[in-house]
Amino acid sequence: MSLLGGGPLDRGASIGFPASGPPAARSRFEPAAVKSTSIALVSSVVFFGLLAIAVVNAPGWSEVKQQFFDAHWFAYSLPKIVNAFGVNVRLFCLAEVLILALALLLAVLRSLPGPVFFPLRLIATVYADTFRAIPGLLIVTLLGFGVPGLGIAGIPTDPFIYAVVALTLVYSAYVSEVYRAGIESIHPSQEAAARSLGLTRIQALRYVILPQAVRRVIPPLLNDFIGLQKDTILVSYIGVVEAFRESSIIQAAKFNSTPFVALALVFLVITIPLARFTDWLVGRDRRRFLANAR
Amino acid sequence: MSSTAAATHPALEISGLWKSFGELRVLRGIDLTVAEHEVICLIGSSGSGKSTLLRCVNLLEPVEGGRITVEGEEITASGVDVNRIRRRIGIVFQSFNLFPHMSVLRNVTLAPQKAAGKPKAQAEAEATELLERFGLVDKRNEYPDRLSGGQQQRVAIVRALAMQPDLLLLDEITSALDPELVAEVLNVIRELARGGMTMVIATHEMGFARDIASRVCFLDGGVILEQGAPADIFSHPREARTQQFLERIIEAGRL
């Protein structure tokens, strides 16, 4: 079920730099660069050519081609899917704003010192543990079917609302850990300097610690939002008619799976620029870090 | 030399101050009285407790025993507003600790605006005046990472002065600087001393301490082992530990 899995739900928050990333800028016209570019090009053509030949010559290719890569059904389903994708975008935008706020609150609660704040720290810790432990699809299901089932008067029945709430709950747990890593990465001497001038703890956090911490965690935050974009399809399970649900409806009606491929293409077009941008930011930060560590 | 006891309270009075970090007893009963306009230099080897003493006076470290009084008000009493106390006591750190995400001007105006509640225009005018006085006004819109170590430390001093403190604590403020940048920072302190600022200075710059101090205190093993006028301490130290310390300093060519 690769469509429903993946995302950041199976990895921890980290503000470290991944091993991969864009290499240092180098002139394209150096002979060595030309040579390595040519080698990369040839090996790519050979590799993907062989892969294509293997797929096309597979015994079931003609059925798969007709079932997944049908030009007629592609043209038929793409506009409907793009239209339904608007629901995913709305879901994503709404949840993202709520996540950024809730996660920041959780991270701040968790970083409060002293025994007085133990209950708040406990709540934030239990929250982060709980919502990182339970699979996102389960949270969506339990909320989307469970809460309206209570039949409390005035409680909303629109599954879209439960979709927003479920994604916010799950992703806030991750994003709060990202924030917290950022807060803890700011050297205590910064807080000491702020407090020594007579700023309160809250002022030190607001004006000195958080602005630096948030700047530092923007790349990992973007990574989580790439995951959130993809996980918006989880809410199809509770009856929100978004792009994945729309694809399933077409597939069930027309007995053809091409709509899923069309949806995959939509995600590629939307997500890859964000992923490239995130990698570029990470690479830029690393270059700055190296430049500063003279 | 040392000011006479006036009717007013001393600027700073420390009595029987104890402080430990776990098993390590860093301060073991410090007694020190500083009159207004006095410049006290704390000398002693690393680990003798100089920095810890300054951090205790700024309430950055909780004390375990003893009292600290600033102009007659006990700041170690329970229930005092630490933020109000800290506004009266400036501290400058060895590692500058400027806020890297803020311009020089913003570094200086943040506390006057947010902690002292001054309007932005007033805070900026006062900050500009201070930056002007210390030759930094052309750097007001730069960020700290574009400044030399000496410039950064001068900005840190201006940042502390912007709160108009009654007492300024300086914690080895030249130890992280390249040798050729030390003088510009020490000259700032000399000017402040001439202006009558009450200061307690932890330092390894013995020549500077001899020049500027009204009194030199030698810390050893968490107590003030010996104190007196710079001429007495540097020329005729009474205690064997002080003599040893100064001999090592002379051997290293630092006096």
Side-chain angles (χ1 to χ4, degrees), chain B residues 82-114:
Chain B
V82 295
N83 301 313
R84 185 175 57 79
I85 300 296
R86 290 199 187 109
R87 275 175 238 153
R88 297 165 53 194
I89 306 173
I91 185 165
V92 181
F93 303 93
Q94 180 178 345
S95 51
F96 327 142
N97 301 356
L98 293 179
F99 307 132
H101 60 301
M102 294 178 185
S103 69
V104 164
L105 186 67
R106 185 73 180 136
N107 262 280
V108 178
T109 58
L110 179 72
Q113 276 186 255
K114 304 300 174 191

Side-chain angles (χ1 to χ4, degrees), chain B residues 38 49 116 121 129 137 158-159 178 184 239 246:
Chain B
E38 247 194 321
E129 200 176 308
V137 77
V158 168
R159 182 174 69 175
D178 292 338
E184 63 179 87
E239 299 287 336
L246 290 172

Side-chain angles (χ1 to χ4, degrees), chain A residues 47-66 69:
Chain A
F47 176 79
F48 290 109
L50 288 174
L51 195 65
I53 290 166
V55 170
V56 170
N57 290 313
W61 169 241
S62 61
E63 280 119 82
V64 167
K65 187 182 166 205
Q66 186 244 319
F69 299 99

